[in-house]
Amino acid sequence: MKATFELEAVELAIHGGPIAGVDEAGRGPLAGPVVAAAVILDPDRIPDGIADSKLLEADVRRSLYKEILATARVGVGIAGVDRIDSDNILNATLWAMADAVAQLECKPRLVLVDGNKVPPRLECPGR
């Protein structure tokens, strides 16, 4: 599966940017935090090869990680075990996603969530 920038291009043309994408990792393990990252890619400097990380070889993932950090704005949110225990895994995940967006150095005009729920405390629209 190759990532495209089609949806973002349409949204940028209609509403302007920046647009952040947000996703989480760590919802499956029995213990540990859930971590979310929000990323605003530079449309003119999208690294080649971006795709679903689970489909990428480890060395390709490491290389893309470095390229993304060098060319994009990135925010990270971490919901620890205490938050997971008190809020449940879904709400802790949504909290981590919203926190990742809040950690970005600029406020996005739109957040695209890789999931079926938009975090409730975003300061901009989400899809």
Side-chain angles (χ1 to χ4, degrees):
M1 178 171 123
K2 182 177 180 349
T4 70
F5 203 69
E6 292 173 15
L7 177 59
E8 292 88 341
V10 170
E11 290 292 341
L12 284 169
I14 295 171
H15 302 290
I19 296 173
V22 67
D23 197 5
E24 54 69 34
R27 283 185 65 177
L30 293 174
V34 62
V35 179
V39 178
I40 298 174
L41 294 170
D42 178 344
D44 298 323
R45 299 175 66 198
I46 298 173
D48 288 332
I50 289 179
D52 185 332
S53 64
K54 293 178 283 302
L55 302 176
L56 298 173
E57 298 291 328
D59 58 331
V60 174
R61 261 194 322 272
R62 281 189 291 275
S63 176
L64 285 169
Y65 168 77
K66 292 175 185 174
E67 285 188 66
I68 290 167
L69 288 182
T71 61
R73 297 176 181 143
V74 178
V76 176
I78 301 172
V81 175
D82 291 341
R83 182 172 295 276
I84 294 168
D85 287 345
S86 67
D87 295 357
N88 76 40
I89 188 64
L90 173 60
N91 289 324
T93 300
L94 296 173
W95 182 91
M97 288 178 160
D99 194 50
V101 172
Q103 297 304 317
L104 290 167
E105 62 187 42
C106 68
K107 182 179 171 185
R109 292 179 58 93
L110 176 67
V111 174
L112 299 176
V113 178
D114 186 4
N116 60 3
K117 291 190 180 285
V118 173
R121 58 181 198 98
L122 291 178
E123 294 184 15
C124 64
R127 293 200 178 108

